[in-house]
Amino acid sequence: MIEAIISGIGIGFVLTFLTGPVFFALIKTSIEKGFHAGVALALGVVCSDVVFVGAILFGSQYFDISNHAKTVAGVVGSIILFSVGVRYLFKKGEVNYENKVPSGINRAGYFLKGFLMCIFNPTLLFHWITVIGTASTVFHEGVAHRSFKIAVMFATVLIVQFGMDTLKAFYANKLRDKISVKLVHRLNEVAGIALIIASLILVDKLVTHFIFSAPAVN
């Protein structure tokens, strides 16, 4: 039990500090729209992680998805990431200095934004496959209460991730008064570039293979 919690804390910290599109989107949203908007986006990210974990752990028992279908899904996801990245590049910077709490509809929008940004980013699916592989190694067949320990580990990972993302949103919100609209515009550009690079890397891994080799076929 203790080992599962410690493993979950370690993996949760590693995942939450992986700098990528979601990281920049969370910081940008918290600066532009405030703490509550950032938390809503972080909650959407965590819910997408729950979907990924559930799909990997349970979906594989009922569905056999072909490599072609996985490639098509990945390409569609990369197109969406690329489109969002281009939008960020040309989006005007803004800062909610009044720290207004977003309405229920707006919070739902930020939640959906965080959820879809991750769901359509197959790279995160690969991260979770790696985590699940680690869990299966640590808690291998024959370990007492194996399923329960793996469940505790994943619950700990998700709690740590959400807690750290909330902390990021809190401190980004605190810095808003010291941040200019011009700096937010630059942050939009960085987030956009990060999304575009992520989409291009994904396409290369799945289709072109100019830099990255093709994924191993199971």
Side-chain angles (χ1 to χ4, degrees), residues 94-132:
E94 56 179 298
V95 182
N96 173 19
Y97 291 109
E98 297 179 5
N99 198 24
K100 293 180 180 178
V101 177
S103 65
I105 293 178
N106 287 334
R107 281 199 295 270
Y110 295 125
F111 171 88
L112 193 61
K113 177 181 177 181
F115 182 82
L116 294 178
M117 182 178 291
C118 292
I119 283 295
F120 288 113
N121 184 0
T123 302
L124 294 179
L125 177 60
F126 300 147
H127 282 314
W128 281 112
I129 290 174
T130 301
V131 173
I132 289 174

Side-chain angles (χ1 to χ4, degrees), residues 21-120:
V22 176
F23 175 86
F24 288 113
L26 175 64
I27 299 300
K28 185 183 76 68
T29 299
S30 302
I31 291 173
E32 285 187 324
K33 303 299 182 180
F35 172 71
H36 295 87
V39 171
L41 187 140
L43 189 58
V45 171
V46 169
C47 285
S48 71
D49 288 337
V50 172
V51 171
F52 276 140
V53 172
I56 296 170
L57 289 179
F58 305 110
S60 58
Q61 301 177 22
Y62 306 103
F63 302 100
D64 184 17
I65 302 175
S66 67
N67 289 323
H68 176 70
K70 293 177 183 178
T71 299
V72 171
V75 170
V76 171
S78 67
I79 291 172
I80 294 173
L81 288 177
F82 186 87
S83 301
V84 174
V86 171
R87 178 176 176 272
Y88 276 173
L89 280 178
F90 296 99
K91 183 180 179 182
K92 293 182 179 179
E94 56 179 298
V95 182
N96 173 19
Y97 291 109
E98 297 179 5
N99 198 24
K100 293 180 180 178
V101 177
S103 65
I105 293 178
N106 287 334
R107 281 199 295 270
Y110 295 125
F111 171 88
L112 193 61
K113 177 181 177 181
F115 182 82
L116 294 178
M117 182 178 291
C118 292
I119 283 295
F120 288 113

Side-chain angles (χ1 to χ4, degrees), residues 170-188:
F170 176 79
Y171 281 107
N173 174 68
K174 289 295 183 183
L175 291 172
R176 270 184 310 143
D177 293 337
K178 301 178 177 64
I179 293 176
S180 66
V181 173
K182 183 177 180 179
L183 182 58
V184 172
H185 178 66
R186 292 286 178 264
L187 191 58
N188 278 341

Side-chain angles (χ1 to χ4, degrees), residues 116-198:
L116 294 178
M117 182 178 291
C118 292
I119 283 295
F120 288 113
N121 184 0
T123 302
L124 294 179
L125 177 60
F126 300 147
H127 282 314
W128 281 112
I129 290 174
T130 301
V131 173
I132 289 174
T134 302
S136 299
T137 301
V138 175
F139 304 108
H140 53 80
E141 293 287 349
V143 173
H145 309 295
R146 177 176 183 261
S147 297
F148 176 71
K149 289 179 179 179
I150 290 177
V152 169
M153 192 194 88
F154 276 109
T156 305
V157 171
L158 295 172
I159 290 170
V160 169
Q161 278 195 276
F162 181 67
M164 294 303 297
D165 284 346
T166 301
L167 202 59
K168 293 174 194 173
F170 176 79
Y171 281 107
N173 174 68
K174 289 295 183 183
L175 291 172
R176 270 184 310 143
D177 293 337
K178 301 178 177 64
I179 293 176
S180 66
V181 173
K182 183 177 180 179
L183 182 58
V184 172
H185 178 66
R186 292 286 178 264
L187 191 58
N188 278 341
E189 292 178 333
V190 171
I193 292 170
L195 283 167
I196 290 172
I197 291 175

